[in-house]
Amino acid sequence: MFNFMLNRRRFMSQTAAIGGLAAASSFIGIKAGLAKDTAKVRMQLGWLASNGLLGEVAAIKKGFFEEEGVELEIVPGGPSVDGVAGVASGQSAIGQISSSPSVMLARSAGMPVKAFLSGYQKHPFTYFSLKTKPIREPKDMIGKTIATQPTAFILLRALLAKNGIAEDQVKMVNMGSDMNQLLTGQADAVTGWLTNVNALDVLGDNRVDMMLWDSGLQLYANVYYTTDDQIDKHSDVLERFTRAAAKGWGFVRENQEEAVEYLCEAYPILDKPSELRAVGPCVDFSFGDTTKAAGWGTMTRENWAAQIKAYADLKQFKGTVPAVDDVVNFSILEATIDARKQVG
């Protein structure tokens, strides 16, 4: 899920292929629909459909997008889909990615993408340990074995650097998608998302959580992004999308069971009992003090600047270190603040 390493050569080859397809089919990311005032918008996911779509699915079901003149098509991703490249090349108008660093690394690699909303105000990525050997703060990692996904090693390195801990004081090992290494004693902590309730069930009440956000590395999750071209030419449609999505997520907060019904109806592969348990955490990550002040989907310049610095310090950028304005556009947030604050 943490697809932070982007391949520019692959992007260029996909762009050429998609360009040929666009020429043949006259496809445009945002275009006039059947009705005069309707815009067709494709949203590319960075992964498979999940509860990160609760608000959009509810907004479709309740007619909020229709009210804004938007016909939304949600395009699932997956392990073989480079969603950022698809959006950058114009195959989709907007995208949703699991974690904010993907956008800034893409920009550094030369892709013309920018974030314009953050669905989760705090990233759910968490280090899980057991009460018999708890890790409650970063200094507790010293001398311990931490298992994490290969693409999330950079998060652990950034966390250690942020807290002044030398990398050789912590043993880092690979893990898959389950928690077995923690249960068998092969690792003192494993990683995952707090919204993944099924994976966490095996740990039971013996679980200790240390969120990445609370430990000094404050990333955004479920980030919505688009291209410079879409912002320049179709900012009005992006604003309409934002107002409808905000209303959808506001509906989810107030009608959690009904929202889960809509999600499982749209994606029957999802497990309804699990989604009913997960919807509360999803709402908690989507709303909070920041949204009360600035509305659903808000982001801050200071937070993005800190993220860029953390990755630059670890020499993660293969190209030029981007500036905040290279990576984020705040105009959509500013134009929709009244509507977003109504559900904040």
Side-chain angles (χ1 to χ4, degrees), residues 24-73:
S25 63
S26 299
F27 177 85
I28 302 175
I30 299 179
K31 64 180 180 181
L34 297 176
K36 182 179 179 181
D37 296 325
T38 298
K40 183 177 177 64
V41 178
R42 283 170 54 101
M43 184 173 79
Q44 174 67 61
L45 304 183
W47 202 246
L48 303 174
S50 69
N51 47 33
L53 287 174
L54 278 161
E56 284 69 39
V57 171
I60 292 172
K61 186 75 173 181
K62 302 300 290 185
F64 301 150
F65 282 112
E66 185 178 2
E67 291 170 4
E68 289 288 346
V70 172
E71 180 186 337
L72 181 65
E73 177 188 1

Side-chain angles (χ1 to χ4, degrees), residues 27-32 39-42 90 92-94 226 230 234-238:
F27 177 85
I28 302 175
I30 299 179
K31 64 180 180 181
K40 183 177 177 64
V41 178
R42 283 170 54 101
S92 294
I94 63 177
T226 187
Q230 297 288 4
H234 303 291
S235 61
D236 62 321
V237 179
L238 296 173

Side-chain angles (χ1 to χ4, degrees), residues 38 41 49 65 69 72 75 86 108 157 187 211 234 239 243 249 289 294 310 334:
T38 298
V41 178
F65 282 112
L72 181 65
V75 185
S108 176
R157 293 182 59 219
M211 280 182 59
H234 303 291
E239 292 167 16
R243 287 194 293 267
W249 277 100
D289 291 340
E334 293 165 359

Side-chain angles (χ1 to χ4, degrees), residues 249-262 279:
W249 277 100
F251 177 87
V252 173
R253 182 177 60 178
E254 302 302 324
N255 305 273
Q256 296 183 13
E257 290 189 17
E258 190 175 353
V260 169
E261 290 278 0
Y262 296 156
V279 64

Side-chain angles (χ1 to χ4, degrees), residues 102-117:
S102 294
V103 179
M104 59 196 197
L105 290 170
R107 193 75 197 204
S108 176
M111 299 186 192
V113 295
K114 284 185 178 178
F116 68 99
L117 290 171

